[in-house]
Structures are given as C-alpha cells and as structure tokens.
Amino acid sequence: MQNKQTKICMVIGDPIKHSLSPKMHNAGYKFLGIDDEFFFSSAKIPKDKVKDFIKAMRLVGFRGVSCTIPNKVEVMKYLDEIDEIAQKIGAVNTIVNNNGVLKGYNTDWLGVVIPLEKILGSGGLEDKNVALIGAGGASRAIAFGLKEKGAKVTIYNRTLEKAEKLAKELKVKFASLSKIENVKNADIIINSTPLGMGKYIDETPVPKEFLHKNQICFDIVYSPEETKFLTDALSKGATIIKGKEMLVYQGLEQFKLYTGKNLPFEVMMGALKTKNLTIKNNMLK
Ligand code: NAP
C-alpha cells in the first residue's frame, strides 16, 4: 500500500503501453518488502514533452525515471549531472533524483556485457571478435560496452553510412550487411536489429550456414523469446543468449540506482514469465 512517503519511479517513452518495466520493478519491491516505500509506473511522454516532464519530475520529486525510445538523447539537455559512461555513450536510460539533483546514467551496455561475462568469465571479452549487427540506438550502448571490455568489434549494418558514422565515433570496424558471411570468423554475434520480431518474425540477419558451435549468439530481440536467429544457432550447437537477459540485467542495474538495493536476477526474470511477451510492432522496454 502506497503512502505519502512512497517514492515514485516511472518509465517514459512513446509508445509506452506495452512497457515491461513497471512489472519488473514492482515485482522487485514486493520481493524485498519495500512496496510501501517504492512504486513504479509509466507515462507516455513524446520527445517534445520531455522538457515539461523533467520540470514535473523536479516539482513532484519523482525518485527515478527510466527513459526509452524516443527520449534517451533528448533528456540529457535538462539534467544537472550526467555520469561519465552515459556521456561517452551519448544516451541516458536512467535518471536518479537525489534531493533535487537529477543525474543521468546508462545501464543498457551492462545488459549485454553482464550475460556475456557470465559465460566467458570476468575479462573474457578481451580480444574476442564480435560481430554487432545494427547501428541504431541499442547498438551504440552495446558497442561502447564491448569496446570498454577490450573486444574487437565490427558493426554490420544495412545502411553502410550509419555503420561508418557509429564505428568512427567508437573507433571500431564496420561493414555492410551484404558482407555478413564474414561473421563465420566471429566468436560472438549480436543481433540488434528488429529482424526476428513483429513483421520480421521469420527473418534472421545471419544465414544458418555462417553459424557454428564455437560461437555465442546473442539476440537482443526479446519477443519472441527464441528468434529464428537463436533457433538456427542452437541447431548448429552454438551457445545462445536471449534478449530477455539484456532486459533484466539493465533493469537490475536501474533498480540498484533507484533503491540502493540488489535484487536477485530470478525475481525480475520471474516477473516477465507471467506476461505474454508477444508485442506488436517494435516495442521496447
Ligand atoms: P533503432 O535505433 O531503430 O535501430 C534499428 C537498427 O536495425 C538499424 O541499424 C537498422 O538499420 C536496422 N534494421 C531495421 N530494419 C531492418 C531490416 N529490415 N533489415 C536490416 N536491418 C534493419 O532500434 P534500436 O533501439 O537499436 O532497437 C533495435 C532492436 O533491439 C529492437 O528490436 C528492440 O526491440 C531491441 N531492443 C532490445 C532491448 C533489450 O533490452 N532486450 C533493448 C533495446 C532494444 P538501418 O540503419 O539500415 O535503418
């Protein structure tokens, strides 16, 4: 039961209706017995309303705000402080209100690095050849995280100019999606395009013939839970990581920033299991 002292957190984006964040965070509050202290909601905030929303955040004193499409870059203009990593990535997905001082963070990169290091061990990304497919918002944080951990990253993208721009910024390699056969030489392949979901449900960015058992294949698409890319990878004996893991690991880091508490992985993951993850169009957390 909420009361006057309840700290409000929320996710803002547009669209927002299908966001899984309220479910993930509220399950955590309940598990830790702090659901009278914290409550997590959502609000549809388009990009041109972000400035007004931040004013309201200060006025009302919301404790934390998660940002999703299209607000991760826009919101940076209105914050008091931005953590060094979020600055380097160029996007904020988490805002913490500490007694009126709003500070922006980015936890998206951890959503990819943590599950990979769980398999490879700490430091295990060093010198690994990673093929990152896609050069959009998610790829930016992922490429940063991989580079930070010493991996050798090549960004493959449909629109070569976009891959080139991002690759030059982050000082990694780039290639056209038409050269995808080169992923044969990659230790890790990450799909960060919508191929495999929604209208692309039967598609994969990597033909099966280029996959093999020594690879780790990570699809950040989480609806459906197992995409065609992952089904193909499994059939070749590769190790797979599902998009839900990224969703949960980045969420656990946000949870820690909002509450100061660690939450077991299984609690947030369990909250997702109770929800039908079939999401129309290209919906994000
Ligand atoms: P975005 O900024 O719109 O970027 C989309 C990327 O996919 C671009 O590089 C685009 O290439 C490429 N793409 C789109 N349609 C394509 C097609 N038909 N064929 C080949 N490439 C195509 O999107 P985003 O924010 O990076 O998100 C990408 C995906 O990641 C979404 O499916 C989203 O649901 C998922 N995601 C998951 C999590 C998680 O926590 N698991 C977090 C964030 C995002 P062009 O440059 O050529 O347009």
Side-chain angles (χ1 to χ4, degrees):
M1 181 64 112
Q2 285 80 55
N3 57 50
K4 270 197 268 180
Q5 277 75 46
T6 302
K7 299 180 181 95
I8 306 287
C9 300
M10 65 177 64
V11 56
I12 60 163
D14 183 18
I16 203 66
K17 209 165 75 185
H18 301 278
S19 172
L20 301 168
S21 294
K23 198 158 185 129
M24 288 158 55
H25 286 261
N26 286 323
Y29 303 151
K30 196 160 181 205
F31 177 82
L32 295 178
I34 54 171
D35 47 337
D36 55 347
E37 198 187 330
F38 286 92
F39 179 70
F40 200 104
S41 184
S42 66
K44 181 176 170 177
I45 304 291
K47 206 162 146 182
D48 62 352
K49 292 282 182 282
V50 165
K51 187 178 178 183
D52 291 341
F53 175 83
I54 295 297
K55 265 193 209 159
M57 181 177 181
R58 292 181 192 279
L59 200 66
V60 182
F62 297 136
R63 165 64 181 159
V65 168
S66 305
C67 305
T68 187
I69 280 181
N71 299 332
K72 291 186 187 185
V73 177
E74 180 67 13
V75 82
M76 294 175 81
K77 293 183 204 162
Y78 310 112
L79 304 180
D80 302 312
E81 294 172 13
I82 295 175
D83 150 85
E84 203 183 317
I85 289 176
Q87 261 177 37
K88 282 187 189 161
I89 294 172
V92 158
N93 77 329
T94 309
I95 308 168
V96 180
N97 183 349
N98 276 319
N99 302 317
V101 178
L102 304 191
K103 183 164 180 178
Y105 299 85
N106 191 306
T107 67
D108 283 333
W109 68 287
L110 289 165
V112 167
V113 164
I114 295 172
L116 282 169
E117 285 196 334
K118 274 187 97 176
I119 293 171
L120 298 166
S122 175
L125 277 163
E126 181 92 38
D127 288 333
K128 287 281 182 296
N129 282 311
V130 184
L132 175 60
I133 306 167
S139 307
R140 171 173 282 278
I142 297 169
F144 165 85
L146 295 168
K147 177 99 196 300
E148 192 76 4
K149 295 290 177 179
K152 296 175 183 157
V153 181
T154 305
I155 297 172
Y156 291 81
N157 199 44
R158 178 178 62 177
T159 310
L160 189 62
E161 301 76 52
K162 275 212 224 163
E164 181 174 10
K165 189 170 178 289
L166 182 58
K168 285 196 169 154
E169 221 179 287
L170 295 172
K171 298 188 175 58
V172 299
K173 291 184 187 162
F174 67 96
S176 163
L177 205 50
S178 61
K179 297 272 186 279
I180 200 69
E181 71 269 15
N182 291 335
V183 302
K184 278 185 296 199
N185 306 317
D187 304 304
I188 299 165
I189 306 173
I190 303 174
N191 174 38
S192 71
T193 76
L195 293 179
M197 72 179 287
K199 64 181 175 184
Y200 305 117
I201 194 145
D202 296 322
E203 296 187 35
T204 169
V206 189
K208 196 169 163 177
E209 64 198 282
F210 305 135
L211 303 174
H212 56 79
K213 68 174 172 38
N214 297 326
Q215 290 169 327
I216 298 176
C217 295
F218 193 156
D219 201 332
I220 77 161
V221 167
Y222 56 81
S223 168
E225 203 173 318
E226 192 182 302
T227 56
K228 178 162 169 36
F229 170 49
L230 294 185
T231 306
D232 287 350
L234 274 178
S235 75
K236 289 296 194 93
T239 303
I240 65 158
I241 305 177
K242 297 177 178 177
K244 269 169 72 172
E245 291 209 30
M246 177 180 179
L247 193 60
V248 169
Y249 279 113
Q250 66 76 29
L252 290 172
E253 295 301 315
Q254 291 184 320
F255 191 92
K256 212 188 300 176
L257 286 165
Y258 299 150
T259 65
K261 295 181 195 304
N262 284 309
L263 185 69
F265 172 84
E266 293 72 23
V267 175
M268 259 194 192
M269 188 53 110
L272 294 181
K273 288 204 174 104
T274 58
K275 169 135 186 166
N276 177 3
L277 280 176
T278 305
I279 299 166
K280 283 184 192 156
N281 306 319
N282 188 7
M283 299 299 309
L284 293 177
K285 61 192 181 285

